[in-house]
Amino acid sequence: MLAAQVRQGTLPPVEKRLPESPYVVPHNRLEPGNYGGTLRMMLPALTTPR
């Protein structure tokens, strides 16, 4: 739909399509989390009868 408008030249530039102050969804985490650490997983033993 937008590709056709771009080809025709009827689509306004991005600056005119976006609001001056966009809404930002509020959230509790204002800082990024910590990367790294240890991943612990429990796997069944390969010798377990099924």
Side-chain angles (χ1 to χ4, degrees):
M1 173 177 101
L2 296 177
Q5 291 180 8
V6 169
R7 282 192 299 271
Q8 295 170 356
T10 58
L11 188 67
V14 174
E15 294 82 20
K16 292 187 179 181
R17 288 185 276 147
L18 295 177
E20 299 241 348
S21 58
Y23 176 73
V24 177
V25 177
H27 55 83
N28 295 336
R29 298 185 181 187
L30 300 177
E31 297 176 1
N34 296 329
Y35 290 97
T38 304
L39 176 63
R40 295 187 175 108
M41 297 175 56
M42 290 188 64
L43 300 175
L46 296 177
T47 58
T48 304
R50 294 180 196 181

